[in-house]
Amino acid sequence: MLSYSRRFLAAAALAVLTLPVAACTSDKPAPSASGAPAGAPAGSAAPADKGTGEQSKFFVQADYDAQMAMRKAQPTGPSDKPWEQTIDPQLVDTAEYKKAGPYHLCFSNAAVDNPWRQVGWKTMQAEVALHKEITKFTALDAEGKDDKQISDIAELTGKGCDALIVSPNTTATLTPAVSGACPKVPVIVFDRGVQTDCPVTFIKPIGGYAFGAAAAEFLVDKVPAGGKILALRILPGVDVLETRWSAAKVAFDKSDLQVVGVEFTDGDAAKTKSVVSDYIQRYGKIDGVWMDAGATAVAAVEAFEDAGQPVPPINGEDQQDFLKKWSDAKLTAIAPTYPTYQWRTPVIAALKVLKGEQVPKVWNLPQPAITQENLATYLKPGMPPLHYALCGCEDLPGYPEKWGGTS
């Protein structure tokens, strides 16, 4: 699962950092006056009979195109360290920040309020422990509260930090706080973004469009023409989730499939199971399930099992419970990912900046998908159900015990 409450996943290019529609925010998009995607040519309204509704105001054609291109691009960097890889990097000079160690790194964290963030936070701490030149690491948890994170950032800028890592809780509200910190300390933003280009680097996987497209294209390929698709979403107005659905809509609108429902589940397993059960009763058969986040995918699967029906093609994520269910039940499935290994990258980036080494202005990390062909690679025996397979933590000290696993 990602940090689904407002994680930033907009496209590459510096514009990503500055455009409100491509920034992570909890604000709901304004209602669209037509079915045309925002930024799309006039008269490009989506077909009304596909069941996908109007395109999101978060949709930006240029960002969508960039992410589709990055899905096919070959990243540069160590082949065995995807958290150090980058796609289409535009390097920036950091000589002005060069200083001798040892270093005091600081981190303003949006929250550790879900399993994805908990796995990531453990991974970041283990990465810090690898670097002897980091003699102090100060982290403050905003507990999912904008006002607390604004205060946290102000506090950290007064603590003598050599570099400040920020994972913003929301975009627009945190932008002034990040902008205020930039003149005082080199800032590295990751996971979620801000509407300013003052951070030295912004680190993220490819983005929400790539996730949504991978899942939707899988269903278009696996579900027969005319098949009924149920789309399950978590929340409206959250950019990473909006862009995932935007990309799925593009794929479904071009297909012969019919989206019979687009429902919000709040990321709740019981509600997910109830919604799926209702649609099975209403339509008799659902031919495919698309999800903008995979944390409740097992609940969706169980709804079909409880109804005595075969589980149709479905997408989840890299949580162990879904991967195990997929393997055991021989599902037809795919798991697009938002890799937790990205929590290692800001620490590496901060050290590069403090040593005066060039870094990408937008650090686009690879965003692989788990398929039937590589599923066995990501099944991790002994790891807890809510562990994320793409943690990139297997080589870190304390694995697997520090991540709740057993050897």
Side-chain angles (χ1 to χ4, degrees):
M1 170 182 171
L2 348 160
S3 165
Y4 296 118
S5 55
R6 311 176 188 100
R7 275 190 295 143
F8 181 76
L9 257 178
L14 187 54
V16 169
L17 296 174
T18 57
L19 284 172
V21 291
C24 176
T25 174
S26 60
D27 298 332
K28 294 184 180 181
S32 175
S34 71
S44 59
D49 60 350
K50 294 297 183 180
T52 58
E54 298 177 343
Q55 184 56 281
S56 170
K57 280 291 187 178
F58 283 80
F59 183 82
V60 178
Q61 186 70 50
D63 293 347
Y64 170 85
D65 292 342
Q67 289 191 24
M68 295 305 101
M70 280 191 281
R71 291 172 66 197
K72 303 173 184 177
Q74 185 67 31
T76 59
S79 60
D80 59 341
K81 297 179 180 180
W83 52 89
E84 293 186 22
Q85 295 176 8
T86 183
I87 300 171
D88 191 24
Q90 305 299 313
L91 300 178
V92 294
D93 185 77
T94 66
E96 64 181 294
Y97 304 112
K98 184 177 181 179
K99 63 190 301 184
Y103 303 118
H104 176 196
L105 292 192
C106 295
F107 176 37
S108 172
N109 190 7
V112 285
D113 56 1
N114 61 57
W116 185 90
R117 300 196 73 84
Q118 291 157 13
V119 171
W121 173 226
K122 291 172 184 175
T123 301
M124 176 182 279
Q125 293 175 88
E127 178 66 37
V128 168
L130 292 178
H131 303 280
K132 303 302 182 185
E133 63 270 43
I134 303 174
T135 54
K136 189 174 182 181
F137 182 52
T138 303
L140 297 179
D141 176 12
E143 301 172 357
K145 302 172 184 176
D146 286 345
D147 55 351
K148 185 176 187 305
Q149 189 165 33
I150 290 168
S151 176
D152 288 348
I153 291 173
E155 179 180 342
L156 289 171
T157 56
K159 285 187 174 292
C161 307
D162 293 307
L164 174 61
I165 298 168
V166 180
S167 176
N169 188 55
T170 61
T171 293
T173 306
L174 268 298
T175 294
V178 172
S179 297
C182 285
K184 303 172 185 177
V185 61
V187 176
I188 293 91
V189 172
F190 85 105
D191 169 35
R192 307 167 172 178
V194 286
Q195 295 169 358
T196 173
D197 63 358
C198 78
V200 182
T201 182
F202 170 51
I203 298 161
K204 65 176 186 67
I206 294 172
Y209 295 113
F211 184 108
E217 290 166 1
F218 176 80
L219 295 180
V220 171
D221 181 58
K222 296 296 184 180
V223 177
K228 295 184 288 292
I229 303 298
L230 173 59
L232 299 178
R233 303 182 58 190
I234 293 182
L235 300 166
V238 178
D239 72 332
V240 55
L241 305 177
E242 291 284 348
T243 54
R244 289 181 179 191
W245 172 239
S246 292
K249 172 181 165 54
V250 171
F252 290 140
D253 284 348
K254 294 177 181 177
S255 76
D256 294 322
L257 304 180
Q258 180 69 27
V259 177
V260 295
V262 182
E263 300 287 348
F264 292 101
T265 67
D266 301 320
D268 180 80
K271 186 173 181 179
T272 297
K273 192 171 184 178
S274 176
V275 167
V276 176
S277 297
D278 288 346
Y279 270 80
I280 292 172
Q281 292 178 5
R282 186 183 310 175
Y283 289 96
K285 181 184 180 185
I286 297 296
D287 302 297
V289 178
W290 180 93
M291 305 185 74
D292 69 359
T296 61
V298 171
V301 169
E302 290 173 347
F304 288 96
E305 293 175 335
D306 290 351
Q309 293 200 7
V311 181
I314 187 172
N315 76 277
E317 262 183 280
D318 57 320
Q319 280 188 181
Q320 287 299 302
D321 62 348
F322 176 70
L323 300 184
K324 187 174 188 305
K325 188 70 170 179
W326 177 355
S327 178
D328 291 348
K330 296 179 171 53
L331 302 179
T332 299
I334 191 171
T337 68
Y338 189 71
T340 44
Y341 59 57
Q342 68 183 279
W343 288 69
R344 299 186 68 166
T345 315
V347 177
I348 295 167
L351 291 176
K352 284 181 172 291
V353 169
L354 293 172
K355 293 174 182 178
E357 300 175 11
Q358 290 185 324
V359 294
K361 183 63 179 177
V362 179
W363 194 320
N364 294 300
L365 295 165
Q367 184 176 312
I370 299 175
T371 65
Q372 184 62 50
E373 288 68 31
N374 61 17
L375 173 60
T377 303
Y378 294 103
L379 275 169
K380 307 290 182 182
M383 298 307 291
L386 300 184
H387 177 72
Y388 283 80
L390 273 77
C391 66
C393 56
E394 292 85 356
D395 67 333
L396 290 170
Y399 180 86
E401 290 79 10
K402 286 186 178 179
W403 286 261
T406 57
S407 303

